[in-house]
């Protein structure tokens, strides 16, 4: 329920202040496609920290899904749970949707189901990185995630700006263990990326790394980007501009058969 498209600039001028606009609440549904509640909570905290006043963020994960998504098989196994959450959100009238998995799992299918804009954190993060640097590197979890992300860079036309996709060689769930050394291994790989790739920005290649951005930016001196925050802010921009997913062609609603 967004009224901004009906609220013209003339109205704003007539009422003299834009604050009237704050009357409407933009609702964004963020879906963590794995079933690990601690990661969903972390994603929610980061999204809420950066969401604008007047934006309501809800973060969910499917009950039935792999505990983490590492590779093509897990991606396939989490799809029905993900689509179920998007369908519920569409029925509840959410204005925009974020897929909080760096493989942008099921993005096209989710865009068919949703009327509001849907962004994956990889696509959003890559576009953000390309706007603040001439070249960036991605640091993800396991080596098996690297080819998936390299393919996404090609798909998004980011293969020239994405200098390298690296793995810190840690399982996704190691990021949930505060006593482990996963953060240190990510930090070391980020420093290597700056050193060896000549990258001017770093994109964190897992939603589970969302809480590391400020610390790593201080540690490395280069902008370290989290896709969850980039996606939430971009959804706000798209919805605020009155834009919805096109229902002509590729993202048309699924046909009933
Ligand atoms: C993610 N897996 O963002 C991806 C990252 C990865 O469960 N959340 C996951 O390593 O592929």
């Amino acid at each position: 329920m967004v009224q901004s498209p009906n609220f013209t600039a003339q109205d704003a001028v007539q009422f003299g202040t834009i604050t009237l606009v704050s009357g409407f609440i933009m609702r964004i549904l963020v879906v963590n496609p794995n079933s690990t509640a601690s990661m969903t909570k972390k994603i929610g905290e980061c999204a809420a920290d950066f969401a604008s006043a007047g934006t309501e963020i809800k973060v969910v994960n499917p009950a039935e899904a792999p505990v983490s998504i590492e590779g093509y098989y897990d991606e396939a196994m989490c799809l029905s749970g993900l689509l179920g959450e998007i369908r519920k959100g569409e029925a509840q009238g959410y204005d925009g949707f974020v897929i909080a998995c760096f493989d942008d799992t099921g993005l096209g299918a989710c865009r068919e189901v949703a009327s509001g804009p849907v962004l994956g954190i990889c696509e959003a993060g890559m576009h953000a990185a390309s706007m603040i640097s001439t070249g960036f590197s991605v640091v993800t979890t396991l080596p098996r995630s690297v080819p998936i992300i390299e393919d996404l860079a090609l798909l998004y036309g980011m293969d020239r700006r994405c200098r390298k996709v690296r793995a810190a060689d840690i399982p996704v769930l190691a990021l949930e263990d505060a006593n482990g050394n996963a953060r240190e291994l990510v930090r070391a790989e980020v420093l290597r990326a700056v050193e060896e790739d000549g990258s001017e920005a770093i994109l964190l290649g897992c939603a589970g790394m969302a809480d590391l951005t400020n610390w790593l930016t201080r540690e490395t001196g280069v902008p370290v980007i989290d896709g969850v925050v980039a996606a939430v802010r971009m959804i706000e921009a798209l919805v605020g501009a009155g834009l919805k997913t096109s229902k002509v062609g590729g993202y048309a609603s699924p046909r009933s058969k």
Side-chain angles (χ1 to χ4, degrees), residues 6-7 14 35 39 43 70 101 105-106 115 122-123 162-163 181 202 208 223 231 249:
N6 311 324
F7 188 118
Q14 182 195 347
S35 58
M39 191 180 291
I43 291 166
E70 297 168 337
C101 173
T105 313
S115 50
C122 176
E123 184 177 20
C162 179
R163 301 236 167 109
N181 65 346
I202 301 293

Side-chain angles (χ1 to χ4, degrees), residues 94-116:
Y94 278 86
D95 304 298
F97 305 82
V98 171
I99 300 172
C101 173
F102 205 82
D103 301 355
D104 288 359
T105 313
L107 183 57
C110 293
R111 284 178 172 162
E112 285 192 29
V113 169
S115 50

